Amino acid sequence: MVRIEQIEVVIADIPTVRPHVLAMTTMHSQAVVLVFLRRSDGIFGVGEATTIGGLAYGEESPESIKVNIETYFAPILQSCDADDVAACMALLSGHIVGNRFAKCAIETALLDGLGQARGLPVSELLGGRSVDRLEVAWTLASGDTALDIEEGQRVFEARRHRHFKLKIGKRDVEADCAHVGAIAKAFEGKASVRVDVNQAWSRGQAAKGAAMLQDAGVVLIEQPLAKSDFEGMAELTANCDIAIMADEALTGPDSARQLAKEHAGDAFSLKITQSGGLVPTAEVAVIAREANIALYGGTMLEGGIGTAASAHLFACLPDLVWHTELFGPLLMTEEFLTEPLVYRDFGLVVPDGPGLGVRVDRGKLELFRRH
């Protein structure tokens, strides 16, 4: 039996390359939460539980994740076999309600450690990858039309991204749609444009906005309504030709089944933290596939560890119709991996080393560690 000897949680505040404007908050830095799990065989597994905007986005914050793992998770895991990931996670689920982000970080660290011990990438532990590179969308979120167009042109010409997502919802519908329309026109024939409303619209605003955005050439609208409004999402999905995607409403397999039952979305945004781990997210993907719902590889703007973990899972899914949004490390001014993830030809190269295939440079991390 391989015991779990120590669990350490580190919060690091990494500045962003520019202000990142969402409907509920504006980010100037990202609080990356890393979990280091030391096994009795000397292997360290690493996971990430990064979220957005403190408590402005969801129920968990960087601070709560750290305290809860150290206070409640760690004692439970002391009796576990680190090689039996399923049993470890079942034990946690039996004793701890919710805390999906924290559970995801633990599961990721366990899988990373197990992969290193067996000499296998995490993707092989999850069934095997079908691709080695994932196309990655870039989010334009300065809120300034001219700046967004200039930024999009720059990353497109560098062959880094050819799909763009715009964060909207802070302004009135007409102003937001005019902003998006100008950007869609600038990239017509070159790059696809989709929007994320982050739950900011009412049903009436969503119906109006969807029509305007479709006319502007936008291909997808992410979570326009409150996450609890399954009925409204179903109505919008049925009445709009433009694709509607569930994001904040999707919190794991149970919500996925309900969303699928009510036809409350044409697409699901898969987020490993929001669903409580890589294995539950894989289950969400199966539910979506059976309901003929398209898949999108989402992000919580994680750093390199969470992004690598997501990439390993998404590489195992052959039907990511809407590609991925794994650009988190590119939004940050500083890198804390020993070797950065590789972005080229409009996509992310999935790491192929044992475990996650990436390692943390503790010296670099210490420069931004919160004390």
Side-chain angles (χ1 to χ4, degrees), residues 317-331:
L317 307 176
D319 48 0
L320 281 174
V321 172
W322 291 102
H323 305 293
T324 79
E325 192 187 339
L326 298 179
F327 69 92
L330 299 175
L331 186 64

Side-chain angles (χ1 to χ4, degrees), residues 333-368:
T333 61
E334 303 293 337
E335 179 60 77
F336 54 80
L337 298 182
T338 56
E339 294 292 335
L341 293 169
V342 177
Y343 290 87
R344 63 166 180 252
D345 296 326
F346 303 111
L348 166 65
V349 177
V350 184
D352 58 6
L356 292 177
V358 293
R359 301 270 71 86
V360 175
D361 184 323
R362 292 299 298 259
K364 292 180 182 177
L365 186 66
E366 282 298 318
L367 297 175
F368 301 95

Side-chain angles (χ1 to χ4, degrees), residues 221-223 233 244-250 259 264-265 267-269:
I221 303 174
E222 182 174 348
Q223 199 65 54
M233 287 284 285
I244 305 298
M245 183 161 72
D247 176 15
E248 286 89 351
L250 188 60
L259 286 163
F268 280 175
S269 177

Side-chain angles (χ1 to χ4, degrees), residues 131-355:
V131 298
D132 293 313
R133 188 181 66 86
L134 299 161
E135 286 218 25
V136 176
W138 175 252
T139 294
L140 298 171
S142 75
D144 183 295
T145 305
L147 286 177
D148 281 350
I149 291 173
E150 187 277 330
E151 183 179 304
Q153 293 283 13
R154 186 172 67 252
V155 297
F156 175 78
E157 289 169 5
R159 294 183 60 80
R160 212 176 74 182
H161 308 281
R162 58 183 173 190
H163 308 288
F164 296 118
K165 187 169 87 173
L166 278 67
K167 293 286 188 178
I168 62 174
K170 273 200 167 183
R171 297 174 286 202
D172 62 62
V173 175
E174 290 82 357
D176 265 341
C177 290
H179 166 68
V180 174
I183 294 170
K185 184 176 181 180
F187 291 102
E188 187 175 3
K190 296 192 296 184
S192 70
V193 174
R194 62 283 304 263
V195 301
D196 185 359
V197 190
N198 285 125
Q199 312 178 70
W201 284 349
S202 66
R203 292 188 187 184
Q205 289 172 320
K208 180 179 182 180
M212 296 173 71
L213 291 171
Q214 183 173 326
D215 289 343
V218 174
V219 295
L220 177 144
I221 303 174
E222 182 174 348
Q223 199 65 54
L225 303 176
K227 61 184 179 183
S228 59
D229 191 3
F230 284 27
E231 182 181 343
M233 287 284 285
E235 183 178 306
L236 200 61
T237 300
N239 293 332
C240 293
D241 291 331
I242 192 170
I244 305 298
M245 183 161 72
D247 176 15
E248 286 89 351
L250 188 60
T251 56
D254 289 343
S255 61
R257 291 187 190 93
Q258 191 62 31
L259 286 163
K261 181 181 178 181
E262 298 190 25
H263 306 289
D266 301 294
F268 280 175
S269 177
L270 302 175
K271 294 182 177 179
I272 61 172
T273 45
Q274 212 157 263
S275 288
L278 283 79
V279 173
T281 306
E283 187 178 346
V284 169
V286 171
I287 293 165
R289 194 175 299 121
E290 291 175 348
N292 199 31
I293 293 171
L295 298 177
Y296 179 76
T299 180
M300 289 301 297
L301 303 179
E302 294 100 335
I305 295 298
T307 298
S310 296
H312 277 282
L313 173 61
F314 297 161
C316 298
L317 307 176
D319 48 0
L320 281 174
V321 172
W322 291 102
H323 305 293
T324 79
E325 192 187 339
L326 298 179
F327 69 92
L330 299 175
L331 186 64
M332 301 176 198
T333 61
E334 303 293 337
E335 179 60 77
F336 54 80
L337 298 182
T338 56
E339 294 292 335
L341 293 169
V342 177
Y343 290 87
R344 63 166 180 252
D345 296 326
F346 303 111
L348 166 65
V349 177
V350 184
D352 58 6

Side-chain angles (χ1 to χ4, degrees), residues 43 113-122 124-125 352-355:
I43 291 173
L114 180 61
Q116 291 179 62
R118 295 187 178 175
L120 294 172
V122 166
E124 294 305 303
L125 301 178
D352 58 6

